[in-house]
Amino acid sequence: CAVNVDYYDEQGNYQTGFAAVRKLRSMQKEWSGVLDEEMLREVIAENQRITSHPDYFSQNIQKSNAVYSMGQGIQEIRRLLNASFAESFRDYDYYRANSLTPDQAPYFYENRIRLLKEWLDSDDAKDQYTQSEKDYLIQRYEALETPFRVDYTKGWEQIAQYSKTVMMLGVMVLGYLLSGLFAGEFQLKSDALFYSSFHGRRKAVAAKVKAGFLLVTIVYWAMWLTYSGFVLAYMGADGGDTPIQSTWECWKSFYNINQWQKYLLMTLGGYVGFLSISAMTMWVSAATKSSILAAMVPWVLIFIPSFVYNIDALDVVMALFPDRLLRIDESLGYFEMFELFGKVIGAAPLQ
């Protein structure tokens, strides 16, 4: 289910539904606030208390889940600890937080920058970026205001997690609806009427383009607002003012924005993506006079880039494909940059 959470009660029983959402929200709200050294010490101490429980590694799943349920309030912060105190920038150890002591809390934010610098200087990344791009990444990391706030943010996380699926389905539907907008006149042999009229096809084409973009606008906003509104109403809209780095998925992001700004960026990006792909669909419909080829446009623009994404030479080109606009939340986690007139800028603002 798109609107769901993993929650275990005190007896280790798995629960789902709205009641589970409320309980998880309540637990994580107890650990909301400024993630400063004091809170980090408390989280590490609490994690030590939980992991030292005799049933933490119990072979009895019920008992093990019961102990796991104690740490659901700090689970997001725990994931951040795993990332901050990792052995290397690209490493992640689920149990890393278990070996930490409260005295290591002061290094939490410092580690994020240190690991980035070490990775950029390593053989793995030294040739991937120019010196200007490396300096830009470090500058953006250092510009993040710390200590930052943490809060329950499941609503915003759920929107981002399933937004790509929702938007792709919407584009597919629109591709089908728009594919015959121009090709239909040739298939029905009505094109001769346009050519014999006083204004030719000029006014007819303009009217069809307007109708096409109006359809895109109505479908997109109805779909997106219904989806995101339902998720936030069900999961909660808490944490909209927290930085995206407060969630593990965006811990490494160099975009210093909050959850609400990320949502707005996804919303605008999705709309522009819908308009771009729909415009190409209508153009193919008119140019090829084939509704079948036109209906294939969304499939080509969405799925073809996924097959060539791992080709390093095409990374820059792929970053500007319209499919990225439909999953701009993923782009926030990529180190994709462009250097324009001597100034480095992230790919997301250009998509």
Side-chain angles (χ1 to χ4, degrees):
C1 178
V3 282
N4 204 357
V5 296
D6 293 324
Y7 178 78
Y8 292 88
D9 62 17
E10 295 82 356
Q11 287 73 43
N13 299 311
Y14 179 74
Q15 294 186 0
T16 186
F18 187 62
V21 171
R22 286 190 303 170
K23 292 176 182 178
L24 181 64
R25 177 181 178 275
S26 177
M27 292 186 70
Q28 294 192 352
K29 291 295 284 186
E30 293 179 5
W31 292 92
S32 64
V34 178
L35 191 60
D36 53 15
E37 181 180 334
E38 180 181 356
M39 180 183 285
L40 286 165
R41 287 178 178 273
E42 292 176 0
V43 171
I44 294 174
E46 176 67 6
N47 186 67
Q48 287 180 328
R49 184 186 70 82
I50 294 170
T51 56
S52 62
H53 193 284
D55 290 331
Y56 182 74
F57 289 108
S58 174
Q59 297 300 313
N60 185 309
I61 301 299
Q62 190 82 6
K63 293 181 178 180
S64 177
N65 288 340
V67 178
Y68 170 82
S69 71
M70 302 177 189
Q72 290 175 110
I74 62 170
Q75 64 182 0
E76 294 302 324
I77 303 176
R78 186 181 183 280
R79 296 174 75 186
L80 296 181
L81 288 169
N82 290 334
S84 172
F85 291 92
E87 293 295 326
S88 64
F89 185 72
R90 305 185 72 175
D91 178 55
Y92 183 82
D93 181 359
Y94 176 81
Y95 297 103
R96 181 69 181 94
N98 296 356
S99 62
L100 299 179
T101 63
D103 290 339
Q104 293 175 276
Y107 304 105
F108 176 75
Y109 294 106
E110 176 185 317
N111 285 344
R112 182 171 177 268
I113 301 173
R114 177 182 59 80
L115 291 175
L116 172 68
K117 290 180 178 179
E118 291 178 355
W119 179 67
L120 291 176
D121 290 335
S122 68
D123 293 337
D124 187 33
K126 66 178 182 180
D127 295 327
Q128 290 189 36
Y129 309 101
T130 66
Q131 188 58 48
S132 296
E133 290 172 336
K134 292 179 180 180
D135 293 340
Y136 175 77
L137 288 173
I138 295 173
Q139 183 271 324
R140 296 308 300 160
Y141 263 48
E142 293 176 340
L144 177 65
E145 293 186 13
T146 59
F148 52 62
R149 286 190 67 255
V150 291
D151 201 347
Y152 168 85
T153 58
K154 287 297 182 183
W156 305 104
E157 292 175 41
Q158 287 279 341
I159 288 178
Q161 182 176 356
Y162 294 96
S163 64
K164 179 174 68 174
T165 301
V166 172
M167 289 193 178
M168 285 185 175
L169 288 175
V171 166
M172 298 303 176
V173 171
L174 280 173
Y176 173 77
L177 295 176
L178 297 173
S179 61
L181 190 61
F182 288 95
E185 66 189 45
F186 298 101
Q187 296 168 355
L188 298 175
K189 307 301 181 182
S190 62
D191 55 311
L193 295 176
F194 290 122
Y195 285 117
S196 62
S197 64
F198 178 76
H199 291 287
R201 297 182 62 203
R202 181 171 56 84
K203 286 192 174 182
V205 170
K208 287 191 174 187
V209 170
K210 291 178 182 178
F213 284 131
L214 178 61
L215 176 64
V216 173
T217 299
I218 293 174
V219 170
Y220 174 77
W221 289 107
M223 173 205 72
W224 180 248
L225 294 180
T226 299
Y227 163 69
S228 58
F230 173 73
V231 172
L232 290 178
Y234 189 91
M235 302 290 293
D238 310 66
D241 60 340
T242 60
I244 60 175
Q245 288 81 4
S246 65
T247 59
W248 174 78
E249 290 81 1
C250 289
W251 168 254
K252 297 177 183 178
S253 176
F254 63 85
Y255 295 95
N256 298 330
I257 58 178
N258 60 35
Q259 300 290 348
W260 170 244
Q261 292 169 329
K262 174 184 174 180
Y263 171 77
L264 292 180
L265 193 59
M266 290 167 53
T267 301
L268 179 60
Y271 182 52
V272 175
F274 266 55
L275 292 177
S276 301
I277 295 176
S278 298
M280 294 181 190
T281 301
M282 290 188 285
W283 178 80
V284 171
S285 177
T288 65
K289 305 176 184 178
S290 171
S291 57
I292 296 177
L293 291 177
M296 292 175 60
V297 170
W299 294 84
V300 172
L301 293 178
I302 289 175
F303 293 108
I304 292 299
S306 64
F307 290 102
V308 298
Y309 177 70
N310 290 325
I311 302 178
D312 293 339
L314 299 177
D315 280 352
V316 175
V317 177
M318 291 297 102
L320 295 176
F321 257 58
D323 74 297
R324 287 297 183 85
L325 290 164
L326 307 183
R327 49 192 180 95
I328 203 166
D329 61 296
E330 294 182 5
S331 296
L332 296 177
Y334 298 148
F335 281 4
E336 295 172 337
M337 296 160 286
F338 296 91
E339 192 166 349
L340 304 174
F341 307 107
K343 183 179 181 180
V344 179
I345 185 173
L350 299 178
Q351 290 173 331

